[in-house]
């Protein structure tokens, strides 16, 4: 995904460091008995953020939350990341979000982490990959094209405030050959157009 990239190896190393810490903690008998609360990405979806992105953010969060306690000790997280020479990752959304959270407090839960991440997702350039993820949500039946019903379904699912008129405008704007169906290429051109 967009967020992971070069951050992935850093997080993997972070996890190894944390794994060692966790073993030390367990030996000392402090192991927390944390039951895995059922995580439902639907609870976290908001306008401009897809379910795929929520799941990706949760994966990043869980990698950083090596003890599985549901909150990040930000001092530790930043220490680990610095220890792993993350200075070259300054521009990574995960890193920017963690710093933003640290300015507000010493710990953060997933909801707080998401609050810091979401604005960063919205300003990023739509990459072909992120558009493909969105496309997969739209083209549920894997037909290779979408129509106004598909878009309407997703709009309702994510609670976006769009009128029928705005929907049909979007479709006719994207549907270059006027057949009522939008292909991925048409969708990609519409979404990556600056404006």
């Amino acid at each position: 995904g967009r967020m992971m990239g070069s951050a992935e190896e850093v997080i993997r190393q972070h996890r190894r460091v944390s794994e060692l810490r966790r073993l030390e903690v367990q030996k000392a008998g402090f192991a927390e008995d944390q039951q895995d609360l059922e995580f439902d990405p639907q609870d976290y979806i908001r306008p401009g953020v897809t379910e795929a992105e929520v799941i990706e953010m949760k994966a990043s969060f869980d990698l950083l939350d090596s003890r599985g306690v549901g909150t990040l000790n930000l001092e530790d997280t930043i220490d680990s990341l610095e220890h792993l020479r993350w200075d070259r990752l300054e521009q990574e959304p995960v890193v920017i979000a963690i710093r933003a959270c640290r300015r507000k407090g010493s710990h953060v839960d997933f909801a707080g982490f998401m609050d810091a991440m979401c604005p960063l997702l919205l300003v990023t350039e739509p990459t072909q990959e992120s558009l493909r993820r969105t496309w997969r949500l739209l083209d549920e039946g894997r037909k290779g094209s979408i129509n106004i019903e598909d878009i309407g379904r997703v709009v309702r699912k994510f609670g976006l405030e769009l009128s029928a008129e705005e929907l049909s405008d979007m479709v006719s704007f994207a549907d270059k050959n006027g057949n009522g169906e939008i292909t991925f290429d048409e969708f990609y051109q519409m979404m990556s157009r600056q404006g």
Side-chain angles (χ1 to χ4, degrees):
R2 214 205 95 59
M3 284 172 252
M4 305 300 267
S6 47
E8 213 157 44
E9 72 219 66
V10 165
I11 289 174
R12 256 200 299 273
Q13 280 174 282
H14 167 75
R15 193 161 217 182
R16 275 202 294 278
V17 171
S18 304
E19 217 32 68
L20 293 171
R21 273 202 207 144
R22 173 162 52 185
L23 291 173
E24 284 160 22
V25 166
Q26 275 171 350
K27 278 203 297 255
F30 299 128
E32 271 138 302
D33 188 21
Q34 178 70 12
Q35 67 182 59
D36 207 7
L37 291 172
E38 204 47 47
F39 169 71
D40 183 1
Q42 294 288 330
D43 295 342
Y44 294 95
I45 286 170
R46 51 180 85 175
V49 179
T50 65
E51 183 169 358
E53 283 167 334
V54 172
I55 291 167
E56 200 174 330
M57 281 187 266
K58 182 70 163 90
S60 307
F61 183 86
D62 288 348
L63 284 169
L64 295 168
D65 175 23
S66 55
R67 291 174 314 153
V69 292
T71 55
L72 299 181
N73 175 327
L74 294 165
E75 210 49 58
D76 281 359
T77 304
I78 289 173
D79 276 356
S80 305
L81 290 170
E82 279 174 348
H83 169 71
L84 298 167
R85 301 250 3 258
W86 67 323
D87 38 339
R88 61 205 172 83
L89 300 181
E90 271 314 321
Q91 290 316 303
E92 284 287 332
V94 172
V95 167
I96 297 170
I98 291 290
R99 283 203 183 283
C101 293
R102 182 68 190 95
R103 285 195 290 273
K104 288 191 186 148
S106 61
H107 288 73
V108 71
D109 61 6
F110 179 61
F113 175 70
M114 243 194 86
D115 287 341
M117 281 295 295
C118 285
L120 303 172
L121 292 183
L122 298 178
V123 299
T124 55
E125 199 54 18
T127 61
Q128 179 132 13
E129 190 195 347
S130 66
L131 290 176
R132 274 205 185 283
R133 284 207 310 256
T134 309
W135 176 261
R136 285 198 290 272
L137 287 171
L138 289 165
D139 181 20
E140 252 187 1
R142 304 282 179 273
K143 303 187 304 282
S145 64
I146 55 173
N147 55 33
I148 194 159
E149 279 80 42
D150 295 310
I151 297 179
R153 180 178 44 73
V154 169
V155 163
R156 282 191 302 279
K157 183 174 170 185
F158 294 107
L160 305 176
E161 303 295 320
L162 284 178
S163 66
E165 206 175 343
E166 287 171 306
L167 273 181
S168 63
D169 282 352
M170 278 171 70
V171 172
S172 51
F173 178 64
D175 179 21
K176 289 288 163 262
N177 58 12
N179 67 352
E181 296 280 321
I182 302 169
T183 63
F184 177 72
D185 287 338
E186 288 174 327
F187 170 75
Y188 181 69
Q189 278 164 1
M190 172 180 87
M191 298 301 287
S192 51
R193 194 171 292 161
Q194 293 316 299

